[in-house]
């Protein structure tokens, strides 16, 4: 008798597979400068010529400030965030891979595997926080980030399920050791 697909637990390999999907999506997002659109200066209002010099100066300074801000995003903020976010994703996958490579025979191996799973969970949370910072700093469409955040939360759930399934292994090993 087979188990219904909806009631099956995901295999630990699903954790790895899903992490690679997240990495691909985030790499694509980073390559697109996190969704930052090219700066297009606003057209001057039709009555601009009728404004006083102080009004014109204020308007022009505002435009110049926006251009400088956009250039700062492109020159240093986005490259810095790209490196950091891709580093976090790389570390998350690394920890998942290390945890999956440990096939526990002793409690100490169970503990080591658990540490790597916990670190992977921590990297997921760091990733969410870093993406949240990008959202609040850059003028981007927040809705595009919802799918990525949901993917990361699903990854967290997969890792937690994996940890929970490891508890049965831990229990068998502790009974065998005692």
């Amino acid at each position: 008798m087979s188990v219904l697909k909806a009631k099956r637990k995901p295999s630990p390999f699903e954790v790895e597979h899903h992490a690679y999907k997240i990495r691909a999506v985030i790499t694509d997002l980073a390559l697109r400068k996190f969704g930052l659109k090219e700066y297009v200066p606003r057209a001057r209002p039709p009555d601009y010529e009728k404004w006083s010099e102080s009004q014109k100066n204020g308007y022009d300074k505002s435009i110049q400030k926006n251009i400088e801000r956009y250039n700062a995003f492109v020159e240093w903020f986005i490259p810095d965030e790209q490196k950091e976010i891709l580093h976090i994703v790389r570390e998350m996958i690394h920890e998942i891979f290390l945890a999956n490579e440990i096939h526990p025979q002793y409690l100490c191996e169970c503990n080591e595997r658990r540490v790597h799973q916990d670190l992977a969970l921590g990297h997921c949370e760091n990733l969410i926080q870093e993406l949240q910072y990008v959202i609040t700093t850059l003028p981007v469409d927040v809705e595009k980030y919802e799918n990525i955040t949901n993917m990361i939360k699903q990854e967290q759930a997969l890792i937690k399920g994996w940890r929970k399934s490891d508890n049965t292994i831990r229990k068998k090993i502790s009974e065998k050791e005692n």
Side-chain angles (χ1 to χ4, degrees), residues 2-60:
S2 64
V3 178
L4 294 173
K5 187 173 183 179
K7 293 187 178 184
R8 288 184 206 157
K9 292 182 181 177
S11 70
F13 295 109
E14 179 65 22
V15 174
E16 251 181 63
H17 178 71
H18 193 70
Y20 285 124
K21 281 184 184 176
I22 291 171
R23 186 175 188 178
V25 168
I26 288 183
T27 300
D28 182 57
L29 183 69
L31 288 172
R32 291 184 291 114
K33 297 180 183 176
F34 300 109
L36 181 67
K37 293 182 176 85
E38 291 293 321
Y39 180 76
V40 179
R42 293 179 285 165
R44 288 184 174 162
D47 60 345
Y48 178 80
E49 296 303 322
K50 296 177 185 176
W51 290 4
S52 68
E53 280 304 311
S54 64
Q55 287 175 318
K56 287 179 181 179
N57 286 340
Y59 181 82
D60 292 340

Side-chain angles (χ1 to χ4, degrees), residues 102-145:
I102 298 171
H103 303 287
Q105 302 296 316
Y106 302 99
L107 278 178
C108 63
E109 292 172 336
C110 288
N111 293 338
E112 184 179 350
R113 182 169 163 141
R114 180 67 173 242
V115 165
H116 290 296
Q117 290 168 334
D118 290 345
L119 287 171
L121 275 174
H123 289 305
C124 287
E125 190 58 40
N126 285 347
L127 191 54
I128 289 172
Q129 295 305 316
E130 204 63 35
L131 288 173
Q132 182 64 39
Y133 180 64
V134 168
I135 291 168
T136 57
T137 306
L138 293 175
V140 294
D141 184 12
V142 177
E143 291 178 13
K144 291 181 180 179
Y145 285 79

